[in-house]
Amino acid sequence: ETGVTQSPTHLIKTRGQQVTLRCSSQSGHNTVSWYQQALGQGPQFIFQYYREEENGRGNFPPRFSGLQFPNYSSELNVNALELDDSALYLCASSLYRSDTEAFFGQGTRLTVV
Amino acid sequence: AQSVTQLGSHVSVSEGALVLLRCNYSSSVPPYLFWYVQYPNQGLQLLLKYTSAATLVKGINGFEAEFKKSETSFHLTKPSAHMSDAAEYFCAVSVPSGYKLSFGAGTTVTVRA
């Protein structure tokens, strides 16, 4: 059984660019959530996808968008990058959309310059 | 809305001493509560969770936490610290049938030899 994997592990982008982050959920999990963790802070919920539909969204602007594919993997897209988007982006998968146990990936460290 | 407050951003303990990390929650409905650990450059690992069963919850690596409704607290303890316990610890809250975790700001634990 493979765990949650994210790619890439690190990347650097220029302000104004667009970025796509990827996440493969744990085997058998149909729900994926994305979190943003700024330096020195706790993770903040961005949104959740359940069976290819957005199931809930945190307080993030529309330039943060996502997708979930039939195999339950997911993408996080961020348009018009800002310096404040620099953070660790964490993906978590769970067996059900209201499951109490979420399994986190290693994260993608995004630096916007 | 649910939120947690972690008291103390840094805790330093001697190896073999008690580890106590404080977490207070706010929730309009009976909450689910979690403690996660994050090692440098890694994702989050679940230590333990409270989901309305026993109020004293035992987790991995010798950690335990007690849910106290009257004090709205869910403090994390470990009787004897080990060097490998040096990490960042996050308290989080959700609600039954909820879809997101709300995290505290985290507490960094250092262990002195």
Side-chain angles (χ1 to χ4, degrees):
Chain A
E1 177 181 285
T2 57
V4 179
T5 57
Q6 294 186 241
S7 62
T9 54
H10 297 81
L11 75 166
I12 300 174
K13 289 287 188 177
T14 302
R15 189 172 49 183
Q17 286 187 315
Q18 179 267 344
V19 69
T20 298
L21 310 182
R22 295 177 174 82
C23 172
S24 294
S25 59
Q26 186 159 317
S27 178
H29 288 188
N30 59 21
T31 302
V32 171
S33 302
W34 287 91
Y35 291 82
Q36 180 196 65
Q37 185 179 15
L39 199 61
Q41 298 182 24
Q44 298 292 318
F45 175 76
I46 302 175
F47 43 56
Q48 182 185 81
Y49 278 82
Y50 168 69
R51 293 187 174 181
E52 304 178 57
E53 298 287 331
E54 187 179 289
N55 185 52
R57 188 178 184 92
N59 189 26
F60 280 81
R63 60 189 184 83
F64 285 77
S65 62
L67 280 174
Q68 187 178 33
F69 301 99
N71 66 355
Y72 302 134
S73 66
S74 178
E75 288 182 353
L76 164 65
N77 299 288
V78 187
N79 294 322
L81 283 167
E82 301 176 359
L83 297 180
D84 284 348
D85 295 333
S86 296
L88 180 68
Y89 288 84
L90 294 164
C91 171
S93 75
S94 51
L95 197 54
Y96 308 108
R97 59 182 167 178
S98 59
D99 193 3
T100 58
E101 187 158 354
F103 293 83
F104 284 81
Q106 302 277 68
T108 294
R109 174 72 64 186
L110 171 65
T111 302
V112 182
V113 298
Chain B
Q2 299 75 41
S3 66
V4 294
T5 301
Q6 292 185 239
L7 303 175
S9 58
H10 290 88
V11 169
S12 179
V13 299
S14 297
E15 193 172 19
L18 171 72
V19 179
L20 170 60
L21 305 183
R22 300 178 187 274
C23 172
N24 287 91
Y25 70 90
S26 173
S27 178
S28 55
V29 298
Y32 287 171
L33 293 159
F34 308 81
W35 277 100
Y36 283 86
V37 61
Q38 185 176 37
Y39 297 101
N41 301 314
Q42 294 191 25
L44 302 176
Q45 180 183 11
L46 180 66
L47 281 175
L48 49 80
K49 62 181 179 181
Y50 166 77
T51 56
S52 74
T55 56
L56 182 62
V57 182
K58 295 187 183 298
I60 62 171
N61 302 339
F63 285 93
E64 65 180 36
E66 186 172 9
F67 173 72
K68 292 187 176 181
K69 183 178 178 181
S70 61
E71 299 177 8
T72 62
S73 69
F74 190 59
H75 302 331
L76 181 72
T77 60
K78 182 174 180 177
S80 177
H82 191 271
M83 297 299 288
S84 61
D85 295 326
E88 183 104 25
Y89 292 79
F90 293 95
C91 182
V93 62
S94 74
V95 296
S97 301
Y99 53 80
K100 71 172 185 178
L101 293 164
S102 297
F103 287 87
T107 299
T108 301
V109 172
T110 58
V111 182
R112 305 185 304 273

